[in-house]
Amino acid sequence: MNPLAPFLFFFGKDMIRHIILFSGIAIIAWFMTLSGVVWGGYLLWISLIIIATLIIWRAGDFFSPAATYIQNKHDIPQSIKAAVIDAIASSFPEFCVAIIAVILIGRAEVGISTIVGSALYNVLVIPAAAGLVAASPMVISREVVWRDNIYYLGVTLLLGAMLWVFPNEWGASVAVIFLLAYLGYVFLLHRDFKKSKKQSADFKKTDILETKTEDELELTSEKKAWMWVAGMMIVMGGASHLLVEASIALGDMLGIDAVIMGFVVIAAGTSVPDTALSVISAKKGNYDAAVSNVFGSNIFDICICLSIPILLALAISGEATTIELPQMGLIWSLIGATFLAVYFFWSNNYTLTKSKAGMMGFIYLLIILVSFSF
C-alpha cells in the first residue's frame, strides 16, 4: 500500500501539491533558522500558518457530511441541525482556539479576539465574497435579516456588555448567560421549524455534495460516521493548536500583540472553510444558504465557544478566567460592522448588490489596518 495514500485521500489531488510545497518551504526555513538566518523564522511560521489553515479546511470537508449522516440517521429536525450540527461543523476550529487560549496558554483574551475577528470576517468578508461572485444581485429572505441577523446583533451587544460589566474575570455566571442566549436562538429556530417545515428546510438546507471534492466520503454505518466525526475533531484540534502557536510566534517576531494576531490571522485561518462554502452556494444561486450560515456560526462562536472553555477552566482550576483585553476597540468594530451588515442586507428590498459587497470587503480591510493601532 502506498504510504502517502491516506494523505492523498485526505487532501485531494489538488491540495496535496500545496501541502507538499509549503511543507518543503517549512523544512528549508527551519534549517535556515537553525543556521542563524533571521528571516528564515518568518518564512517558517508563515508556512505553518498556511499548512494549519489547509488542514482545518479539509477536516471540515469530512466533518460536515459525517455529522449530517448522523442527523439523517436519527431524523433530527432541520432547525436543530442548523443550530447545532452545522454550527459545530463550521465553528469547531474557533472552539478549539478558545480552549487552547483559555486552558493551554492561559490567555483568554486571545480566544476572545479570535472569536471577535472570526465574527467580523464572517459578517463582512463572506457576504462580500459571495456577492462579488454571484451571477446577479443577491436577494436575501426577510427571515435571514430579521431573525438570524438581528439575534446575532443582540449577541454581539451581549458580548460587549459582559466585557464592560466583568472586565477582569469571567466565571460561571457569564458562561451561563451565553449558554442561555444560545438556547434562546435554538428555541426560535425550532419554533419557526414547527410553523413551516418546508420553509425552514429550504432556508437552512445544505447540499452535502457542496462540501466534497472529487474524493467522496462513503459512509455505510453510524459507527463509521462517529469515527469520522471524532477523528476530524482531533485533526482540527491539532491544526488549530499549530495555527495558534505559529501565529503568536510570528507576532512576537513582528512585535504584534497576540490579541491582534488572533483578531486578524487566527480568525481568518479558521474562517476559510466557511468562505469557500458560501462562494460555492452563491455561484449556484443559493443566496440564502450563502449568507444564513454566517449568522448561525457567529452566534455559536460567541455563545458556545466562549462559555464552554470558561466552564472547563473553572472545573479544572476552580478559578474564574482572567480577562486582559485593553483593545476594546475590537468589540466596537464588530458591533459597528454588524449594524452595517443589517443595513446592507435590509436596504434595496433585501438585495446585496456587487457595489455593497465591495464596500463590505473594503470596510473589513480598513478595520484590520486600524486594529494594528489598538
Side-chain angles (χ1 to χ4, degrees):
M1 178 181 177
N2 185 356
L4 296 179
F7 296 98
L8 182 60
F9 174 76
F10 180 80
F11 290 109
K13 296 178 181 179
D14 294 329
M15 195 174 290
I16 191 68
R17 293 195 292 266
H18 300 298
I19 289 294
I20 293 174
L21 171 63
F22 287 107
S23 297
I25 293 175
I27 293 172
I28 294 172
W30 180 62
F31 281 111
M32 293 172 61
T33 303
L34 293 179
S35 302
V37 180
V38 176
W39 58 271
Y42 296 101
L43 196 59
L44 173 62
W45 298 124
I46 292 173
S47 300
L48 292 178
I49 288 171
I50 294 174
I51 291 172
T53 300
L54 294 177
I55 293 173
I56 291 171
W57 186 343
R58 287 299 294 164
D61 286 347
F62 290 104
F63 183 100
S64 183
T68 302
Y69 181 92
I70 296 171
Q71 179 257 334
N72 292 332
K73 199 74 174 178
H74 293 277
D75 197 25
I76 299 174
Q78 185 72 17
S79 56
I80 303 301
K81 172 185 177 290
V84 181
I85 296 177
D86 289 349
I88 292 175
S90 61
S91 298
F92 192 73
E94 287 91 337
F95 179 78
C96 293
V97 169
I99 291 287
I100 292 165
V102 172
I103 297 177
L104 296 184
I105 67 176
R107 294 199 60 182
E109 60 273 12
V110 175
I112 294 174
S113 68
T114 298
I115 298 300
V116 172
S118 178
L120 182 71
Y121 181 101
N122 289 348
V123 82
L124 289 179
V125 176
I126 291 180
L132 291 174
V133 303
S136 62
M138 294 175 57
V139 180
I140 305 164
S141 69
R142 294 170 59 93
E143 187 179 40
V144 173
V145 176
W146 294 116
R147 185 190 67 190
D148 296 50
N149 201 348
I150 295 300
Y151 199 93
Y152 163 62
L153 175 60
V155 168
T156 60
L157 294 173
L158 176 64
L159 173 61
M162 291 299 100
L163 287 169
W164 181 67
V165 176
F166 305 99
N168 300 317
E169 287 187 342
W170 280 8
S173 59
V174 174
V176 169
I177 290 173
F178 280 130
L179 287 174
L180 290 176
Y182 193 72
L183 288 177
Y185 179 60
V186 174
F187 171 79
L188 286 178
L189 288 178
H190 194 59
R191 183 197 63 182
D192 290 351
F193 172 81
K194 291 171 67 176
K195 284 182 178 180
S196 179
K197 193 172 183 178
K198 183 180 184 302
Q199 181 182 5
S200 180
D202 290 341
F203 171 61
K204 289 293 184 179
K205 184 178 179 181
T206 301
D207 186 355
I208 302 306
L209 294 178
E210 292 179 3
T211 67
K212 299 178 183 178
T213 61
E214 69 272 14
D215 300 306
E216 296 288 334
L217 177 60
E218 296 183 3
L219 296 172
T220 56
S221 67
E222 185 178 353
K223 179 181 178 181
K224 188 175 181 179
W226 278 113
M227 290 176 63
W228 273 103
V229 167
M232 291 305 100
M233 281 184 170
I234 295 172
V235 171
M236 281 192 278
S240 299
H241 196 180
L242 175 61
L243 177 62
V244 171
E245 296 291 350
S247 299
I248 291 177
L250 179 62
D252 289 341
M253 294 187 69
L254 295 172
I256 301 175
D257 189 89
V259 170
I260 301 301
M261 293 300 291
F263 180 71
V264 179
V265 179
I266 303 175
T270 58
S271 299
V272 166
D274 293 334
T275 309
L277 291 178
S278 291
V279 166
I280 292 172
S281 295
K283 286 182 176 179
K284 293 185 175 183
N286 301 327
Y287 298 148
D288 276 359
V291 175
S292 62
N293 288 337
V294 167
F295 305 113
S297 177
N298 283 0
I299 293 169
F300 185 91
D301 285 349
I302 294 174
C303 293
I304 301 299
C305 296
L306 291 180
S307 59
I308 299 300
I310 292 172
L311 293 176
L312 289 176
L314 190 63
I316 293 171
S317 65
E319 299 178 354
T321 300
T322 302
I323 303 293
E324 296 179 4
L325 185 64
Q327 301 93 340
M328 281 298 294
L330 302 180
I331 306 298
W332 295 117
S333 67
L334 174 61
I335 293 174
T338 304
F339 273 108
L340 187 66
V342 171
Y343 171 74
F344 278 159
F345 292 136
W346 166 78
S347 60
N348 299 113
N349 198 24
Y350 303 97
T351 302
L352 182 65
T353 62
K354 291 187 181 296
S355 61
K356 285 196 278 186
M359 289 178 61
M360 294 175 81
F362 174 77
I363 291 170
Y364 175 79
L365 293 176
L366 186 63
I367 292 174
I368 292 302
L369 292 175
V370 172
S371 69
F372 287 101
S373 65
F374 289 155

